[in-house]
Amino acid sequence: MGGAGEPLQSRPARRSLFIWIGGISLFIAVVLAALIAFEMHYAEPILRARVIETLSARFQSRVTLAAFHVSVGRELEVSGNGLNIFGKTDLNIHEPGIQPLLSIQEFRFHAGFFNFLHTPMRVHMVYLKGLQLNIPPKEQVQDSKTMRTEMGKAKIYVDQFVCEQAQLVINTLQPDKLPLQFDIGSLIMKDLGPDKPFRFDANLLNPKPVGDIHSTGLFGPWRADAPRDMPVQGTYSFTNADLSSINGIGGILSSTGNYQGALGRIIVDGETDTPDFRVSVSGHPVPLHTDFHAIVDGTSGDTYLQPIRAKILNSSLIATGYAERVKAPDGHRVYLELKIEDSKIEDLLRMAIRTEPPVMTGHMRLSTIFDLRPGTAAVPDRLRLAGNFEISKAHFTNDKIQAKVNELSMRGQGKPKQAKMDLPEDIPSIMKGKFRLDAGTFWFSQLQFFVPGTEVDLTGNYSLDGELFDFHGRARMDAKLSQMVGGWKSIFLKPVDPFFSKDGAGTEVPVKVIGTKSAPQFGLDFRHKK
């Protein structure tokens, strides 16, 4: 029944309107049902074809897909595994079989029903697991050129990739080098598109030293003709790096910095802090801070330090050189030209030698070649040094040794009575020489020691653990032999003074320094007299 006052002639018109609306709704429902049925039946093969066609167009390469599934719920749920994109040749000669340019163990994404009907379709986010990207060797230009940007035929656009367990492999054809691998725990890539860089946010677990790296920045666009010239820029933080994973050293390192340039030449500026750095041969923790400017070849892992400035306790050093990746044994060879202008010898000895307190204090200047080879042996056994040094105002912390130095100076000046006295101040000395370190032992081709009245020239070696001293040489004193003894004994020695005088020296005798850090022995050494 119509409402009161409603005209009778309007009722058929309203009934017709309801019928018309109902018919339209039924038609829409039928169309939607048909679309859903169509999508349920055809979505999987259509989407599979779109994925393969998009990747084939993007990389101009053969694409294989082991499995692909589509399920229909509130929206399309797409998943797959075993996705591979191949080049024209084998990229990694060190792995069996033909290695793909890009492989993905698993992937999944969601898409709306109406989005599916649109070409190209847009996907907001794709989740990946087990992504591996193989960068071709620079010699294989033909494979690099297959990865040119061809987005015009793309059937799917993706706004963002979220990946776990990714790996970047930069391959080489050089037989003496292995491919460079970067293992990435998690990776987010945004703003992907042709001819523009994409944004990334990555977390890496560094294998050696073990630690966490977080980096954000821009990478690309892809340079098909020259992958080494692909731009890259960003910032990084390296935290909780356990240096004990490198045999022979220890401490927890942290580092921050920024980088920019091309993949083949990345300029890095950063700093490191290790509050408890230690070398196993000494075991003494010391604070170590470095600031560095480096050029990194991202395609080989080779790093060129230009320069690195380090501070150990109150001492500073500067070094230039490189870290070069080698195959046998696998690792990096670190080669540096190291200079110390004015530092404290006790700081360096505290780090390098087990004795406590350090055997000597003083001001040090040093120039040396630092050559650390890769391997499993401890750092002191793999380290090679060759250079020269000078220590001024040297003072021995061992009272027995310093007393011998004081006595040597007094006798060398012809003051034998004072040689046995406790002097109000110890006599500082000067040391300088040429050395090399090999297999944990220092070898000195020249070691000179100066105190007032005496000059000692030695050659020999000592071990880093302080358990071996073996030096032989000659001592030249200003005083004659008889003047060094004094008293009634000098009368009997005067006749032999001429035999021990040589080249203007009052006395010249062969001497030795042998023994250990706890029991050093100083004395004449006529067996080695030349």
Side-chain angles (χ1 to χ4, degrees), residues 13-31:
R14 183 172 181 176
R15 187 179 298 111
S16 299
L17 177 62
F18 286 157
I19 292 173
W20 184 79
I21 293 174
I24 294 296
S25 300
L26 178 61
F27 175 77
I28 293 174
V30 170
V31 171

Side-chain angles (χ1 to χ4, degrees), residues 353-356 359 398 401 464-469 514-520:
I353 299 178
R354 190 175 297 276
T355 53
E356 181 63 34
V359 296
N398 186 306
I401 298 178
L464 286 177
D465 59 10
E467 294 302 321
L468 172 65
F469 286 86
I514 59 175
T516 66
K517 62 184 180 184
S518 58

Side-chain angles (χ1 to χ4, degrees), residues 272-286:
T272 72
D273 278 292
T274 312
D276 57 345
F277 179 77
R278 60 189 179 275
V279 179
S280 59
V281 71
S282 70
H284 298 146
V286 296

Side-chain angles (χ1 to χ4, degrees), residues 90-282:
D90 186 12
L91 303 177
N92 190 338
I93 61 176
H94 301 276
E95 294 290 337
I98 302 298
Q99 301 302 306
L101 291 167
L102 184 147
S103 65
I104 299 173
Q105 294 178 5
E106 303 174 19
F107 66 87
R108 57 187 172 88
F109 62 88
H110 299 271
F113 292 110
F114 291 101
N115 190 14
F116 169 72
L117 298 176
H118 185 270
T119 302
M121 66 181 293
R122 181 172 293 276
V123 177
H124 172 62
M125 185 178 298
V126 174
Y127 296 89
L128 308 175
K129 182 177 182 180
L131 166 69
Q132 184 184 74
L133 176 62
N134 272 291
I135 300 296
K138 60 182 179 180
E139 297 86 352
Q140 293 182 350
V141 179
Q142 67 275 19
D143 269 313
S144 298
K145 290 184 177 180
T146 63
M147 300 179 69
R148 60 183 179 268
T149 303
E150 296 282 353
M151 296 300 291
K153 298 180 180 180
K155 300 297 184 180
I156 302 175
Y157 287 135
V158 179
D159 295 327
Q160 178 173 294
F161 286 92
V162 177
C163 182
E164 59 177 307
Q165 300 177 12
Q167 186 181 68
L168 174 65
V169 181
I170 301 176
N171 294 284
T172 176
L173 294 181
Q174 298 183 36
D176 60 337
K177 290 193 174 185
L178 291 171
L180 184 63
Q181 296 184 0
F182 297 93
D183 293 317
I184 305 171
S186 63
L187 173 65
I188 298 175
M189 298 177 287
K190 299 180 180 180
D191 302 332
L192 282 79
D195 301 323
K196 72 174 186 178
F198 67 81
R199 297 183 180 275
F200 67 88
D201 187 313
N203 291 293
L204 301 82
L205 178 62
N206 195 65
K208 186 177 289 189
V210 176
D212 300 313
I213 299 176
H214 178 242
S215 181
T216 60
L218 299 172
F219 183 73
W222 178 262
R223 291 288 306 273
D225 55 339
R228 291 168 58 91
D229 295 334
M230 287 188 296
V232 60
Q233 62 175 302
T235 62
Y236 77 89
S237 62
F238 188 17
T239 57
N240 300 317
D242 187 359
L243 297 180
S244 64
S245 57
I246 302 176
N247 192 14
I249 63 175
I252 302 299
L253 175 144
S254 62
S255 178
T256 58
N258 58 78
Y259 53 89
Q260 61 179 341
L263 187 61
R265 183 181 170 85
I266 305 173
I267 300 174
V268 185
D269 290 283
E271 62 180 18
T272 72
D273 278 292
T274 312
D276 57 345
F277 179 77
R278 60 189 179 275
V279 179
S280 59
V281 71
S282 70

Side-chain angles (χ1 to χ4, degrees), residues 17 63 72 77 105 174 211 308 326 394 491 529:
L17 177 62
V63 178
V72 179
E77 298 181 3
Q105 294 178 5
Q174 298 183 36
I308 179 172
V326 297
I491 300 174
K529 183 178 180 180

